Amino acid sequence: MTRWRMVIVGIVTVALSRTLVAFPDAAADKAALLKVDEAFSADAQRLGVAEAFLQYAAPDARMLPQGKDVVSGRDAVRRQMAGFPAKATLAWKPFHADVAGSGDLGYTLGTYELRTTDETDKPKVSYGKYCSVWKKQSDGKWKWVVDVGTSSPEPKGN
Amino acid sequence: MTRWRMVIVGIVTVALSRTLVAFPDAAADKAALLKVDEAFSADAQRLGVAEAFLQYAAPDARMLPQGKDVVSGRDAVRRQMAGFPAKATLAWKPFHADVAGSGDLGYTLGTYELRTTDETDKPKVSYGKYCSVWKKQSDGKWKWVVDVGTSSPEPKGN
């Protein structure tokens, strides 16, 4: 190979690799983030809601709870989740995810079921939907930076 | 300049420009998105809340209104916002923004004031906070893809 050919091959190789870095597989990124959110819900059943929320929280995580002020930072998340009823369970399932081209920021949307008991210890189910914003941390793991949910009517067919 | 020097200068120029494209100014991106959200609130005062929500909505915009099902797509956003009381005003101010490294996805968090009237036509103010997720469209404009808010207590000092 002549020197010129080597230079041209080098330039093409660099250009291709930069393009691949700049445009990662968007579908794979979305599928991966959906899986993280699903694992988060599974861990909430296994470890408890409060512990799972902490394990998946970024250091600068913020919650926007209904009727309360913004909850900002892991310590505040711990205090907020300490108020979660011991006997209650919260399970959710994302129905949509999107991830930035750079693969470092994304969000999931999903629906949740909150199972509690009323004053007479009778089981009670509440429904809702949520948005979680996720940021990839320096160790490559997705952690949530925003958690916000709102109540929904009981799904049709239930 | 020899041919080799020209080749080296060319490679360095390409590498630098790719690096600048791959790592845009994160602080400038956040400041720009905060300004878009502030302009959105200003337009809500100028054009009305319903019209501003539509003008800033991406084609795949989703709202997560309290007590209702997910509102999905511009037509559904139009129907949802048609229910906004004619005499009410909604003003907001973001307190935080973050944007992906690729500059194509970001979110803002802020607080809002909803001014309505009660049954006796007496002015009434409600407070809340919100998360908006934004996606840069093919024309380079930021449009919101997720809008979700929750009520808050009256701010201290009011």
Side-chain angles (χ1 to χ4, degrees):
Chain A
M1 217 188 297
T2 66
R3 274 189 185 170
W4 274 110
R5 278 199 187 159
M6 282 174 71
V7 169
I8 288 163
V9 167
I11 290 169
V12 168
T13 306
V14 167
L16 277 176
S17 67
R18 297 298 312 216
T19 304
L20 288 172
V21 167
F23 301 99
D25 187 339
D29 276 348
K30 288 180 197 182
L33 188 54
L34 285 170
K35 273 192 193 282
V36 170
D37 201 9
E38 284 163 7
F40 182 16
S41 179
D43 281 351
Q45 313 321 305
R46 196 171 56 88
L47 307 168
V49 174
E51 179 59 25
F53 262 71
L54 268 176
Q55 289 200 6
Y56 283 77
D60 54 342
R62 289 179 176 90
M63 305 178 83
L64 310 185
Q66 181 71 20
K68 298 187 181 180
D69 286 318
V70 178
V71 170
S72 191
R74 283 179 60 87
D75 287 345
V77 168
R78 183 180 285 111
R79 286 192 297 274
Q80 167 70 14
M81 294 310 294
F84 193 82
K87 280 200 246 169
T89 61
L90 182 67
W92 61 92
K93 193 171 171 56
F95 62 78
H96 176 76
D98 199 9
V99 176
S102 44
D104 57 344
L105 194 75
Y107 70 96
T108 52
L109 302 177
T111 53
Y112 70 76
E113 283 190 22
L114 172 66
R115 292 176 185 271
T116 53
T117 48
D118 68 10
E119 316 78 50
T120 66
D121 242 25
K122 210 182 126 195
K124 187 184 142 191
V125 190
S126 314
Y127 301 91
K129 57 206 170 297
Y130 66 89
C131 174
S132 296
V133 182
W134 299 82
K135 192 162 185 174
K136 201 175 265 181
Q137 305 297 299
S138 51
D139 63 359
K141 283 185 185 153
W142 284 107
K143 300 277 176 173
W144 65 269
V145 286
V146 180
D147 174 86
V148 53
T150 54
S151 66
S152 298
E154 183 171 352
K156 284 163 197 162
N158 267 43
Chain B
M1 214 187 303
T2 68
R3 274 190 184 169
W4 274 111
R5 279 201 187 159
M6 282 175 69
V7 168
I8 290 163
V9 167
I11 290 170
V12 168
T13 305
V14 167
L16 277 178
S17 68
R18 297 299 310 216
T19 305
L20 289 172
V21 168
F23 301 99
D25 186 340
D29 276 349
K30 288 178 199 183
L33 188 54
L34 286 170
K35 272 190 194 284
V36 170
D37 201 7
E38 284 162 7
F40 182 16
S41 179
D43 281 350
Q45 313 321 304
R46 195 169 57 89
L47 307 169
V49 174
E51 180 58 27
F53 262 70
L54 268 177
Q55 289 201 2
Y56 283 79
D60 54 343
R62 288 179 177 90
M63 307 179 81
L64 310 184
Q66 181 70 21
K68 298 187 179 178
D69 286 319
V70 178
V71 170
S72 192
R74 284 179 58 88
D75 285 345
V77 168
R78 182 181 285 112
R79 285 192 297 273
Q80 168 69 15
M81 294 310 294
F84 192 82
K87 280 201 247 170
T89 61
L90 181 66
W92 61 90
K93 195 173 170 52
F95 61 79
H96 177 76
D98 200 8
V99 176
S102 44
D104 56 344
L105 193 75
Y107 70 96
T108 51
L109 302 176
T111 52
Y112 69 76
E113 283 189 22
L114 173 65
R115 292 175 186 270
T116 52
T117 47
D118 68 10
E119 316 78 48
T120 65
D121 242 23
K122 210 182 125 195
K124 188 183 143 190
V125 189
S126 313
Y127 301 91
K129 55 206 173 295
Y130 66 90
C131 174
S132 296
V133 182
W134 299 83
K135 192 161 185 174
K136 200 176 265 182
Q137 305 297 300
S138 52
D139 63 359
K141 284 188 185 152
W142 284 109
K143 300 278 176 173
W144 64 268
V145 285
V146 180
D147 174 85
V148 53
T150 54
S151 66
S152 298
E154 184 172 354
K156 284 162 197 163
N158 267 43

